[in-house]
């Protein structure tokens, strides 16, 4: 049976929601899961000791350490300690490198979920202008690589991009991974574009919303993902896929 160990350090409310959803998905599909909830004061050494123990346990096929970690713990050190064969987030540098060359065991869950949504909607990125807004290690950079593997012509935009609107308006496929509510407005989107919203923000009223002004953009594009209920569930589905795969490695 596949087994997933989920580590959460501290009490970030968003991380708590994500971790609960991941555990629920495991229960739904019959994957064993265990949660390691550690206090904010946990030291890097204590967290490393837990990861080493989980690396050595046969019934644990996947290990996930929910990010962000408290400031006194180095994410780089922690991600490097996870056995690459159990790295179901695909955050270990070995797995990141394997993705670059297109020979991988795991794909990072959110970008893989976006690719699955595109494919299942009958959209082929081949030869298309694909624009990713955001350059994080978790989403933006690997997303660009997966679109490139699918033969898209890929541009990555970020906070220093000049004439952002001119670039995003070229996109046949636009992926927003910015982390700012309503950042992508209708004037930034080409008529008939496919718009994928990776954002998970709270607006002024505390309501969950994405990076895209959904109401303003929806009538202009060929397809759009909502928040919540778009990319989020796909991330979880891809995590389940990676966990099952890890058990077979
Ligand atoms: N924090 C935000 N997204 C993720 C994710 O996909 N995995 C982990 N471990 N932490 C995250």
């Amino acid at each position: 049976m596949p087994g997933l160990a989920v580590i959460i350090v501290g009490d970030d409310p968003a991380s708590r929601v994500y971790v609960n959803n991941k555990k629920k998905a495991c229960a739904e599909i019959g994957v064993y899961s265990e949660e390691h909830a550690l206090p904010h004061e946990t030291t890097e050494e204590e967290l490393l000791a837990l990861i080493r123990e989980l690396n050595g346990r046969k019934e644990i096929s996947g290990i996930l350490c929910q990010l962000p970690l408290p400031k006194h713990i180095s994410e780089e050190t922690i991600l490097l300690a996870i056995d690459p064969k159990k790295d179901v987030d695909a955050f270990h540098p070995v797995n990141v490198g394997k993705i670059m060359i297109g020979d991988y065991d795991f794909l990072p869950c959110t970008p893989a979920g976006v690719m699955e949504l595109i494919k299942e909607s009958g959209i082929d990125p081949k030869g298309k202008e694909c624009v990713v807004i955001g350059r994080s290690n978790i989403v933006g950079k690997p997303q660009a690589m997966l679109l490139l593997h699918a033969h898209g012509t890929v541009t990555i935009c970020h906070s220093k991009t000049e004439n952002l609107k001119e670039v995003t308006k070229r996109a046949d496929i636009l992926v927003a991974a910015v982390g700012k509510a309503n950042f992508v407005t209708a004037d930034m989107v080409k008529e008939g574009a496919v718009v994928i919203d990776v954002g998970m923000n709270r607006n002024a009223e505390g309501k969950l919303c994405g990076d895209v002004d959904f109401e303003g953009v929806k009538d202009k594009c060929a397809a759009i993902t909502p928040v919540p209920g778009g990319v989020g569930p796909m991330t979880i589905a891809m995590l389940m896929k990676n966990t099952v795969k890890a058990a077979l490695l």
Side-chain angles (χ1 to χ4, degrees):
M1 187 199 268
L4 178 67
V6 182
I7 305 169
I8 175 168
V9 186
D11 46 19
D12 179 63
S15 290
R16 173 40 65 199
V17 173
Y18 298 148
V19 163
N20 287 350
N21 287 342
K22 289 169 185 181
K23 282 166 35 191
K24 212 165 93 194
C26 286
E28 270 171 29
I29 66 164
V31 164
Y32 168 74
S33 75
E34 60 183 40
E35 177 184 305
H36 297 265
L38 307 178
H40 181 273
E41 307 72 49
T42 303
T43 65
E44 190 172 283
E45 202 38 60
E46 285 167 334
L47 183 52
L48 284 172
L50 171 63
I51 289 169
R52 287 189 203 108
E53 181 209 322
L54 295 169
N55 279 343
R57 280 174 56 197
K58 244 185 132 52
E59 72 279 21
I60 297 298
S61 26
I63 303 169
L64 179 156
C65 185
Q66 189 67 32
L67 303 179
L69 289 169
K71 296 261 178 292
H72 63 277
I73 300 177
S74 156
E75 280 182 5
E76 199 186 338
T77 303
I78 295 307
L79 297 179
L80 206 55
I82 295 173
D83 179 347
K85 296 263 182 237
K86 297 191 176 190
D87 174 34
V88 287
D89 266 326
F91 291 167
H92 190 289
V94 163
N95 288 324
V96 175
K98 283 175 160 235
I99 291 156
M100 283 283 285
I101 58 175
D103 166 30
Y104 45 79
D105 296 319
F106 306 114
L107 287 177
C109 302
T110 298
V114 169
M115 296 310 289
E116 203 67 24
L117 274 174
I118 291 173
K119 192 177 89 192
E120 290 296 321
S121 304
I123 297 152
D124 185 358
K126 187 173 175 179
K128 297 278 184 342
E129 289 276 358
C130 303
V131 175
V132 179
I133 321 176
R135 54 173 159 178
S136 71
N137 289 333
I138 296 186
V139 183
K141 285 190 228 171
Q143 188 69 70
M145 196 53 57
L146 299 194
L147 287 163
L148 184 62
H149 288 167
H151 312 293
T153 302
V154 184
T155 306
I156 307 179
C157 305
H158 47 80
S159 54
K160 306 287 187 292
T161 299
E162 291 177 8
N163 308 319
L164 178 68
K165 190 169 110 179
E166 278 168 36
V167 182
T168 60
K169 266 202 101 111
R170 291 205 308 257
D172 300 308
I173 299 174
L174 181 62
V175 180
V178 188
K180 286 194 187 129
N182 296 324
F183 183 85
V184 176
T185 45
D187 57 320
M188 296 167 72
V189 177
K190 180 164 95 176
E191 194 80 37
V194 171
V195 179
I196 315 268
D197 191 347
V198 183
M200 276 279 205
N201 314 295
R202 300 253 168 210
N203 67 9
E205 293 92 58
K207 197 170 148 249
L208 201 61
C209 62
D211 291 342
V212 179
D213 170 21
F214 186 91
E215 287 306 316
V217 170
K218 72 179 199 304
D219 295 328
K220 203 176 182 186
C221 53
I224 185 167
T225 64
V227 177
V231 172
M234 293 305 295
T235 297
I236 307 264
M238 296 301 110
L239 174 66
M240 295 300 104
K241 183 177 173 179
N242 282 349
T243 303
V244 172
K245 194 163 187 198
L248 300 170
L249 286 179

